[in-house]
Amino acid sequence: MSRQHAVARIDVGAIRDNVAALRSGTSAEVMAVVKADGYGHGLLPSARAAVAGGATWLGTALLDEALALRAAGITEPRVLAWLIGPGEAWGEALRADIDLSVNAAWALDEVVEAAREAGTTARVHLKVDSGLGRGGAAPADWADLVDAARKAEAEGTVRVVGVWSHLAYADAPGHPTIVRQADVFREALAQAESAGLSPDVRHLANSAATLTAPDQHFDLVRPGLAVYGLSPVPDVAGPSAYGLRPAMTLAADLVHVKRVPAGHGVSYGHTYLTERETTLGLVPLGYADGVPRAGGNVGPVLAAGRSRTVAGRVCMDQLVIDLGDDDVAVGDEVVLFGPGDDGGPTAQDWAAATGTISYEIVSRLGPRVPRRYLDGGVEVAP
């Protein structure tokens, strides 16, 4: 079956406007994070929209993502790649003018060697673990990393353009770890400056801190989820409170409808039984497309102008909804999530229903679902 019966409509105008709204709320520069295929929205269209909205940096996790931006002709703005492993294509990164995150001595050594071979100077951002316990140099190792970076600067193989870290609890505004991490970060900055480093940008804030912790903005903020119009702090406020609009709508056409009697089992395991004679509709989206299997019997949809839930288990390629006695036909659209206009479900609604976060709902959307890009309701090239 052609996947034209399912589509993710991506409003690049919303992405552009979201970045503009984020810029208006801070005096810092904005790095739009476009990792994971732009959180499922498309790497290149999201990057271009973010730049149009005023982002002066782009952020990726993988070096391959950063290289794809450059290969597509996105030569400005600056691009930082941070999830770096041994044996990366350092030379290619340097030729593509990509900034690299360094959080350990081995990584600095590899970058320095690549810069020597290329006869150039690598732009690096030193990362300190201020308390997340994930990437970043431990505070006990920080002084040695800083000293090594300063020596590399003196040699001309490296320029430390950034010092950064990442917050663990920014999505819980007021949590004491936020201030503690900021203190550790400031101490790391002081050590770096005492050693003679003068980074252009110091950055700590993710989406949640960008929206709720202005004291942690420093020189650069790194919004990710908020770029795509979703709230990183849904328990505090929804997107509209921050001037944001969700950019993705996931929808599909009904490909089959039929009447069934009362007591009819639906989908694997018959976890849903019809209470009366009713109409069932088949939606060509399933967990292979990124719809959470946990959405069975709880996942919200909008069909025939009414809110409903998935009937029975979500299958690999399809799901079923109970349409009652409503007038429906093959080809009618079903919306799984979108901006929430007219009472329709949102990615956050799906997250709440399935016990996850909206980040996962949008970023897990699979490649089988075609993306259609719109700006002001008009289809545009990706």
Side-chain angles (χ1 to χ4, degrees):
M1 176 177 292
S2 169
R3 299 307 294 179
Q4 66 181 344
H5 299 293
V7 65
R9 293 190 290 268
I10 311 300
D11 186 348
V12 292
I15 294 174
R16 180 187 61 236
D17 294 346
N18 291 336
V19 172
L22 292 164
R23 283 190 65 226
S24 71
T26 181
S27 59
E29 293 187 64
V30 172
M31 174 187 291
V33 178
V34 294
K35 64 179 182 176
D37 196 31
Y39 286 53
H41 295 68
L43 173 68
L44 300 178
S46 297
R48 293 185 182 110
V51 172
T56 53
W57 291 75
L58 295 172
T60 69
L62 306 182
L63 180 54
D64 282 351
E65 296 169 326
L67 290 170
L69 293 173
R70 292 296 194 230
I74 300 177
T75 56
E76 295 289 343
R78 300 301 320 170
V79 177
L80 171 66
W82 55 73
L83 193 57
I84 305 296
E88 294 279 2
W90 304 114
E92 193 174 353
L94 297 180
R95 288 190 295 273
D97 195 25
I98 293 168
D99 288 25
L100 301 166
S101 175
V102 168
N103 59 16
W106 67 261
L108 182 62
D109 289 344
E110 291 198 10
V111 171
V112 166
E113 182 59 30
R116 286 175 182 154
E117 292 179 1
T120 190
T121 301
R123 291 170 53 94
V124 302
H125 296 233
L126 301 182
K127 185 177 184 183
V128 62
D129 181 2
S130 58
L132 177 59
R134 201 174 62 177
D141 301 325
W142 181 245
D144 288 342
L145 181 61
V146 164
D147 287 343
R150 186 68 190 92
K151 290 175 183 176
E153 275 202 334
E155 180 188 353
T157 51
V158 158
R159 182 171 177 283
V160 177
V161 296
V163 173
W164 73 296
S165 191
H166 197 54
L167 294 166
Y169 267 99
D171 56 350
H175 195 280
T177 60
I178 299 173
V179 172
R180 286 204 295 269
Q181 282 196 249
D183 288 343
V184 172
F185 184 56
R186 288 187 176 91
E187 184 177 343
L189 287 170
Q191 287 182 275
E193 290 165 1
S194 294
L197 298 179
S198 300
D200 298 336
V201 289
R202 304 161 300 160
H203 46 113
L204 178 65
N206 56 5
S207 282
T210 298
L211 296 175
T212 67
D215 290 347
Q216 317 307 340
H217 285 191
F218 293 92
D219 306 304
L220 175 69
V221 294
R222 304 186 310 269
L225 187 75
V227 167
Y228 308 98
L230 299 171
S231 174
V233 286
D235 294 337
V236 176
S240 62
Y242 300 108
L244 307 175
R245 178 175 174 80
M248 179 188 290
T249 297
L250 178 61
D253 296 338
L254 291 171
V255 296
H256 185 49
V257 295
K258 62 186 176 185
R259 294 291 287 180
V260 298
H264 198 292
V266 178
S267 197
Y268 292 122
H270 286 182
T271 61
Y272 183 89
L273 296 174
T274 58
E275 296 181 353
R276 57 186 176 83
E277 182 181 359
T278 190
T279 297
L280 299 180
L282 189 64
V283 180
L285 284 168
Y287 59 78
D289 303 300
V291 178
R293 188 173 183 271
N297 295 314
V298 297
V301 302
L302 181 69
R306 293 178 53 193
S307 296
R308 310 166 195 273
T309 55
V310 174
R313 289 181 181 161
V314 174
C315 305
M316 183 177 287
D317 314 296
Q318 54 202 288
L319 58 86
V320 180
I321 55 176
D322 188 337
L323 296 159
D325 296 323
D326 288 341
D327 184 16
V328 293
V330 167
D332 287 354
E333 184 177 79
V334 177
V335 175
L336 275 72
F337 60 80
D341 300 338
D342 302 323
T346 64
Q348 179 57 39
D349 292 332
W350 268 86
T354 58
T356 185
I357 53 177
S358 61
Y359 301 71
E360 182 179 356
I361 297 299
V362 292
S363 65
R364 67 184 291 161
L365 191 65
R368 294 201 310 180
V369 181
R371 273 66 163 174
R372 179 184 172 205
Y373 294 92
L374 306 169
D375 189 352
V378 177
E379 189 162 2
V380 295

